[in-house]
Amino acid sequence: MAGGAGVTKEPGTDQFAARFHAAGFSVLAFDHRHFGESGGTPRQVMRVREQLTDWEVAVDCAKALPEVDPLRVAAWGFSSAGGHVLRVGAGGKVAAVVAQTPFVDGLVSGPNALRHESVDVVLRFPFIVLADLLRGLFRRPPLVVPLAGRRGEVAMLTTPDALHSERALDPGGRYPEWQQTIAARSVMPMFTYRPGRAARRIRVPLLVVVAEQDQSVLAKPAVRIAARANATLVQVPGGHYAPFLEQHEAVAEAELSFLLTHLSVC
């Protein structure tokens, strides 16, 4: 299990990991490199290729645990990690995949995100990215931006439902060590990341959870890839973080039922 862009393992997985563990599953939650408790410098830098490698290593690690049946390992991710697990599932190394409010098509989600930002920030952001890249060349710490902000603020996302991230993932400041930032250079490459294209190659059971009013990654792209992959589709009302908020019980029960169905010993 892993969280979305810039989201470390505790805020990104604790709510669901606890439910799965209570039902008898072993859970391995991890931080992508450059974030949280994982190594790697510069910090707060997200590179898709590296994170996909992290997933491969994490799956191999889970399979090697003494209490784990290596033939019954599932991959769970939400948002950008929900896109990553589609790639993992297509690789055939896991027995099932759960993609929760997944980021599946940057060519669709990216322009939608820009619609919720002011023209001033859209015009300024490439220069912020350039400044961050220059800092990298001189081995200086990255120029980071918040994961979420309001329209007119510089942030990775300024969609209305992005503002619910702190309430959903870090209620009451439960995880003070979580840096809710990401390097500016990591944002723009996501516009061309299209993990949903891997869905057709998935040959294992796939559950796609979609929030119908998702303004951050949008619902329609995930619904389309679920149809292409002949996946189990669960749709719930609400925004991007609904599975962590008002729809948590419904989503957790659906995911647990899916895992019990497809990973249980016959």
Side-chain angles (χ1 to χ4, degrees), residues 8-175:
T8 51
K9 60 185 182 300
E10 292 84 4
T13 70
D14 274 3
Q15 288 188 51
F16 288 90
R19 296 289 295 269
F20 302 155
H21 188 263
F25 290 98
S26 293
V27 178
L28 188 154
F30 70 97
D31 289 323
H32 297 105
R33 71 183 74 182
H34 306 301
F35 293 92
E37 293 184 314
S38 285
T41 55
R43 305 303 291 171
Q44 306 305 110
V45 172
M46 174 183 173
R47 300 186 182 104
V48 167
R49 184 174 298 178
E50 291 180 344
Q51 293 199 346
L52 291 172
T53 300
D54 295 342
W55 272 96
E56 297 288 331
V57 174
V59 169
D60 289 341
C61 178
K63 289 184 175 183
L65 295 175
E67 75 275 19
V68 171
D69 180 346
L71 299 179
R72 292 190 292 143
V73 171
W76 181 102
F78 88 92
S79 201
S80 63
H84 292 341
V85 295
L86 299 175
R87 299 277 296 271
V88 174
K93 295 187 68 173
V94 294
V97 174
V98 178
Q100 180 176 292
T101 57
F103 177 99
V104 300
D105 193 340
L107 293 183
V108 176
S109 299
N112 172 72
L114 293 179
R115 290 177 49 245
H116 294 281
E117 186 51 280
S118 67
V119 174
D120 172 63
V121 171
V122 171
L123 294 176
R124 286 168 51 205
F125 199 80
F127 297 98
I128 296 171
V129 172
L130 179 60
D132 184 31
L133 290 170
L134 289 173
R135 291 174 71 92
L137 288 176
F138 291 98
R139 300 185 181 278
R140 297 183 63 189
L143 181 60
V144 298
V145 299
L147 297 181
R150 299 183 183 279
R151 183 182 179 90
E153 297 175 345
V154 176
M156 182 180 71
L157 278 176
T158 54
T159 49
D161 58 355
L163 292 173
H164 298 302
S165 61
E166 190 167 355
R167 179 169 67 94
L169 305 181
D170 190 28
R174 185 179 300 167
Y175 305 106

Side-chain angles (χ1 to χ4, degrees), residues 210-221:
V210 172
E212 294 170 336
Q213 287 78 45
D214 195 323
Q215 297 165 305
S216 293
V217 300
L218 301 178
K220 288 184 178 179

Side-chain angles (χ1 to χ4, degrees), residues 1 13-21 23 25 76 98 100 207 209 234 236 242-260:
M1 300 182 71
T13 70
D14 274 3
Q15 288 188 51
F16 288 90
R19 296 289 295 269
F20 302 155
H21 188 263
F25 290 98
W76 181 102
V98 178
Q100 180 176 292
L207 173 65
V209 177
V234 171
V236 295
F244 291 90
L245 295 168
E246 63 273 9
Q247 297 300 322
H248 177 67
E249 189 63 29
V251 172
E253 285 297 323
E255 293 179 354
L256 188 55
S257 175
F258 173 83
L259 293 172
L260 288 170

